[in-house]
Amino acid sequence: MDFGVVMQNDPPASRVVELAVAAENRGFSHVWTFDSHVLWQEPNVVYSQILAATRTVMVGPMVTNPVTRDPSVTASTFATLNSMYGNRTVCGIGRGDSAVRVVSGKPSTLATLREAITVISALGNGRGVEINGTAVRFPWGSRSRLPVYGAGYGPKALELIGTHCDGFILQLADPAIVEWTTKRVKQAAVDAGRDPDDVSIIVAAPAYVGDDIDHQRAQCRWFGGMVGNHVADLVEKYGGDGAGDVPAALTDYIANRTGYDYNEHGRAGNSHTEFVPDEIVDRFCLLGGVDEHIAKLEDLRALGVDQFAVYLQHDGKDQTLAAYGDHIIPALNPVALARI
């Protein structure tokens, strides 16, 4: 199992770069950041600095979208970074959340997302593609290689990801939901004539190593609110109580949800996540001591998870990175430190 770290682009950018370097030195293989250009600083600028300061980690957004980012520009950005620093970029993409909604926009349709994935994957991997009836190719980008990973929760999004993407990003760590979504993605790959093992599975969630479980829950409760905002769209489309083949384990907990303030998106202690119960925080996140993290990660690995990406939106960033580097990554992936 590989390990990634997910950060917000809070100023100063030098702190983001510092954490990226620390993650690489601790055995992490991927550095991801949020892509929400109003709430945080511009990620594509920061990626260049991370790549310059590191040696081997893969870098990219978790996740970008086709609404605020033109797909051809996204492809050019990462192909350029690949040309400058070697093929060390990855593109996570979804329909759009905070970057879109904070300016009162709407997420893209799945059809638009599929078109964007097609464009980014082709151009980012040195191939040509048709855009608005015009054949387009980067004459300077033939050597670029760019994995494109799709993020989503609903049945149709999972089918799209399994059919068209190099990997699947699930933003929560509940083993039951991991199993359900992964089966959907893998079956879609089979139905499309692909080898399901070619679709990487990435689970991303807050991880906080410590011994004060109440404090850890308080610091990570925001995540249940963020996921709940995505789930609300599923409930609106498919219904709740396990209707529409969406498991109740994913939808039931938002019954008392009253709204969401994107100005507090992804922040510990925000004011609109009181509806998230402790049970959901425990299911969706990784909390407790080293042994508890290892046990849950072993469960995720048994379900076919290829990478666990640690959200670091809490007050225990440094101690959690240290615990993962010193104890957890070596336990799950003894060869990880050989890359350093």
Side-chain angles (χ1 to χ4, degrees), residues 183-201:
K183 284 183 177 179
R184 285 275 185 166
V185 169
K186 296 286 190 177
Q187 186 59 54
V190 171
D191 293 344
R194 305 178 65 195
D195 184 343
D197 291 337
D198 289 342
V199 183
S200 298
I201 306 298

Side-chain angles (χ1 to χ4, degrees), residues 255-266:
N256 295 321
R257 175 181 177 272
T258 59
Y260 195 83
D261 182 358
Y262 273 94
N263 290 309
E264 294 186 303
H265 184 63

Side-chain angles (χ1 to χ4, degrees), residues 10-320:
D10 284 315
S14 59
R15 172 60 170 162
V16 180
V17 175
E18 175 187 310
L19 287 168
V21 171
E24 179 179 65
N25 290 338
R26 294 292 189 179
F28 288 81
S29 62
H30 287 67
V31 173
W32 307 85
T33 78
F34 283 43
D35 178 5
S36 195
H37 61 289
V38 174
L39 297 177
W40 299 285
Q41 292 184 326
E42 169 57 38
N44 293 329
V45 177
V46 180
Y47 295 154
S48 187
Q49 293 298 302
I50 292 173
L51 288 163
T54 56
R55 303 179 301 280
T56 62
V57 289
M58 300 287 288
V59 176
M62 189 179 284
V63 295
T64 192
N65 70 86
V67 179
T68 62
R69 306 283 189 187
D70 179 270
S72 67
V73 177
T74 295
S76 182
T77 297
F78 292 113
T80 300
L81 291 171
N82 283 341
S83 178
M84 295 171 66
Y85 300 105
N87 288 322
R88 292 175 52 205
T89 65
V90 58
C91 181
I93 189 168
R95 293 174 56 226
D97 185 34
S98 61
V100 177
R101 298 187 202 254
V102 78
V103 292
S104 299
K106 294 182 179 180
S108 75
T109 64
L110 288 177
T112 297
L113 177 59
R114 182 177 63 251
E115 292 170 3
I117 290 167
T118 299
V119 169
I120 295 168
S121 183
L123 295 177
N125 286 283
R127 303 191 301 271
V129 69
E130 186 174 290
I131 301 176
N132 298 328
T134 299
V136 177
R137 187 171 190 158
F138 298 150
W140 46 267
S142 62
R143 296 184 180 180
S144 175
R145 295 297 177 265
L146 178 66
V148 179
Y149 296 167
Y153 299 94
K156 291 184 178 179
L158 299 175
E159 180 180 358
L160 183 157
I161 292 165
T163 303
H164 296 284
C165 293
D166 299 302
F168 165 50
I169 296 171
L170 177 64
Q171 292 164 306
L172 56 81
D174 182 335
I177 299 173
V178 170
E179 182 176 20
W180 177 78
T181 54
T182 298
K183 284 183 177 179
R184 285 275 185 166
V185 169
K186 296 286 190 177
Q187 186 59 54
V190 171
D191 293 344
R194 305 178 65 195
D195 184 343
D197 291 337
D198 289 342
V199 183
S200 298
I201 306 298
I202 300 92
V203 165
Y208 193 143
V209 180
D211 55 12
D212 186 342
I213 191 67
D214 290 334
H215 179 74
Q216 291 173 307
R217 286 170 175 158
Q219 285 286 300
C220 296
R221 198 173 306 276
W222 66 268
F223 185 68
M226 185 189 83
V227 173
N229 204 52
H230 300 301
V231 170
D233 289 343
L234 294 181
V235 171
E236 182 178 351
K237 183 171 185 177
Y238 295 102
D241 301 320
D245 204 20
V246 176
L250 180 58
T251 60
D252 280 359
Y253 83 97
I254 70 164
N256 295 321
R257 175 181 177 272
T258 59
Y260 195 83
D261 182 358
Y262 273 94
N263 290 309
E264 294 186 303
H265 184 63
R267 295 182 183 176
N270 61 40
S271 61
H272 54 269
T273 59
E274 293 87 354
F275 73 94
V276 180
D278 288 348
E279 175 199 2
I280 290 294
V281 182
D282 294 347
R283 280 171 43 199
F284 285 11
C285 304
L286 273 72
L287 308 177
V290 166
D291 290 343
E292 285 83 1
H293 285 249
I294 292 173
K296 190 163 186 178
L297 287 166
E298 287 177 337
D299 290 341
L300 294 175
R301 181 170 60 179
L303 292 171
V305 173
D306 298 296
Q307 179 188 149
F308 177 66
V310 177
Y311 275 97
L312 275 182
Q313 284 70 55
H314 53 62
D315 63 4
K317 294 178 178 65
D318 294 309
Q319 70 193 55
T320 295

